[in-house]
Amino acid sequence: MADAAGAKDIILGRFFINEKDERGGWVGRDNGPNGYHNWAGNTPIQLLVDDYETDKGQKFDWSNAAMAAAPYQNRDPRLKATILYDGSDWKPRTADVTKRDPSNQIQTGQYEIVNAQGSKVTHFGLDTRKSPVEDWNGSRTGYYMRKFVDPDPAQEDQNTRQRIPWPMLRYTEAVLNYVEACIELGEEAEARTWLNRIRFRAGMPAIAVEETGAALKNRYRNERRIELAYEEHRFFDARRWMIAAETIGRKANIINITGTLKDNKTVTLYKYDPSNYNYKYFVSNIDPGIENRNWDDKMYFTSLHRDEINRNTQLIQNPGY
């Protein structure tokens, strides 16, 4: 079940009672890591991960050497709560896998280990598409969805339906809607007050009073993207703001991670550990044969059905159709 704070935030939601036909009870199985025998149905892309600020309220920047060297450290706490990334602590592995990873950490890279003969070999992470557990159902982006997945250690997602409710309207969304209205009306002080309340709850610093106009609007839009991730808002928000060409139209990208052993370090069973490993992170676009995103402005609208136009000759088809 949802924790008390989460349940209090829900104004309208769908609750699951483990009935046979309740598809929503399989969120963990449908979206979890393949190293847990799950299916990786919705995997975050790097663009989303990059939109989480640092815990000081700075924009994440791959050209910043310190940020690029440890991209998951010192970030907005909502990143950890929303996305499983390389090295994330997670639930116990299933009985057939636990010996491979007693530390219960997400493995989405490839790492050096030392085999029984004393030679360095490559260990492909248990949650990759070259996993020794299962290799057909791993993430193609290097990430997994964590939000709305029951973290109960006793919950084996591939076998058990969960009961985490699905929010259709949260109080937080209503607050964000109010913030947007304030911005459009020029009531920026009021907008900042309520936007900061959401940020404070997440453990993030305030947006400065110096941020006004377009800068404040952009901070609000990013805050909405982060806070409401995976709640089915971004599809409509990008169209409502008419920014889809610059957002939805971008090529989806992924993370590639390698861990090489430091000098005089010997590891026979992999575990995320910067004291043993040098980690490198490389961002690239996903193979266009797998996903090739394009945007056409006609998609801001839907087409009028031919039958409707035949019934009413005064109707004019939307542009591009």
Side-chain angles (χ1 to χ4, degrees):
M1 300 295 291
D3 61 32
K8 186 176 180 180
D9 196 36
I10 295 177
I11 296 175
L12 178 64
R14 183 178 180 186
F15 290 75
F16 305 102
I17 56 176
N18 285 2
E19 292 181 355
K20 185 175 182 180
D21 61 346
E22 291 283 10
R23 183 70 183 181
W26 291 114
V27 172
R29 181 197 65 183
D30 292 354
N31 299 289
N34 61 322
Y36 286 79
H37 302 300
N38 298 318
W39 298 356
N42 290 281
T43 53
I45 60 175
Q46 188 64 50
L47 291 168
L48 174 60
V49 175
D50 288 348
D51 280 342
Y52 287 82
E53 299 172 358
T54 71
D55 58 4
K56 303 299 184 184
Q58 298 171 298
K59 182 175 177 56
F60 181 83
D61 185 0
W62 282 103
S63 64
N64 181 307
M67 293 183 186
Y72 310 125
Q73 295 180 14
N74 305 316
R75 299 291 292 274
D76 183 328
R78 288 171 291 189
L79 173 61
K80 182 178 180 180
T82 306
I83 294 172
L84 292 173
Y85 47 79
D86 188 65
S88 290
D89 293 324
W90 194 223
K91 296 188 285 189
R93 299 276 181 178
T94 53
D96 60 315
V97 183
T98 188
K99 289 183 179 180
R100 297 176 182 267
D101 177 29
S103 299
N104 304 316
Q105 295 175 332
I106 300 301
Q107 301 179 9
T108 56
Q110 58 184 64
Y111 327 93
E112 288 182 339
I113 61 171
V114 176
N115 64 15
Q117 291 72 43
S119 300
K120 288 183 180 179
V121 296
T122 298
H123 166 69
F124 292 100
L126 302 183
D127 307 302
T128 68
R129 293 189 70 84
K130 293 185 178 181
S131 170
V133 179
E134 294 174 358
D135 60 4
W136 62 272
N137 52 348
S139 170
R140 295 185 184 275
T141 67
Y143 299 103
Y144 290 92
M145 171 181 160
R146 184 195 188 285
K147 192 173 183 179
F148 300 127
V149 178
D150 192 339
D152 184 350
Q155 176 88 17
E156 289 191 1
D157 294 317
Q158 81 280 13
N159 294 321
T160 311
R161 293 180 180 88
Q162 65 176 42
R163 297 191 179 188
I164 302 297
W166 186 264
M168 302 176 75
L169 174 62
R170 288 201 285 137
Y171 175 72
T172 301
E173 181 199 341
V175 171
L176 288 168
N177 293 344
Y178 176 67
V179 170
E180 184 168 338
C182 288
I183 291 173
E184 295 301 326
L185 290 170
E187 299 173 2
E188 294 189 345
E190 180 76 352
R192 258 192 309 274
T193 294
W194 284 93
L195 193 57
N196 285 335
R197 286 176 179 174
I198 294 174
R199 290 173 63 84
F200 294 158
R201 184 185 64 181
M204 291 293 289
I207 292 174
V209 295
E210 290 79 13
E211 293 198 55
T212 61
L216 178 60
K217 181 179 289 187
N218 289 335
R219 290 297 291 274
Y220 158 73
R221 290 179 174 180
N222 194 70
E223 190 72 19
R224 186 178 178 95
R225 171 162 165 78
I226 296 309
E227 177 65 31
L228 301 180
Y230 288 104
E231 296 184 40
E232 301 182 339
H233 290 280
R234 186 66 173 177
F235 177 93
F236 302 101
D237 288 344
R239 288 163 172 77
R240 177 162 53 87
W241 298 329
M242 300 195 79
I243 60 170
E246 297 80 39
T247 57
I248 297 174
R250 297 177 294 180
K251 300 301 181 185
N253 56 6
I254 65 177
I255 193 72
N256 298 280
I257 302 169
T258 58
T260 55
L261 283 167
K262 293 183 175 181
D263 292 343
N264 302 317
K265 296 293 184 178
T266 301
V267 174
T268 57
L269 182 65
Y270 178 73
K271 173 186 176 182
Y272 174 78
D273 188 347
S275 67
N276 286 329
Y277 284 92
N278 292 313
Y279 291 97
K280 291 186 178 180
Y281 304 86
F282 176 70
V283 177
S284 63
N285 287 341
I286 196 168
D287 183 346
I290 297 170
E291 182 170 347
N292 189 19
R293 298 186 178 187
N294 292 288
W295 176 261
D296 190 316
D297 281 349
K298 74 176 185 179
M299 293 188 286
Y300 280 124
F301 310 96
T302 188
S303 63
L304 297 175
H305 198 282
R306 173 54 60 184
D307 288 346
E308 297 301 321
I309 295 177
N310 291 340
R311 291 189 185 99
N312 183 351
T313 58
Q314 298 303 306
L315 286 176
I316 298 175
Q317 183 62 272
N318 279 326
Y321 292 99

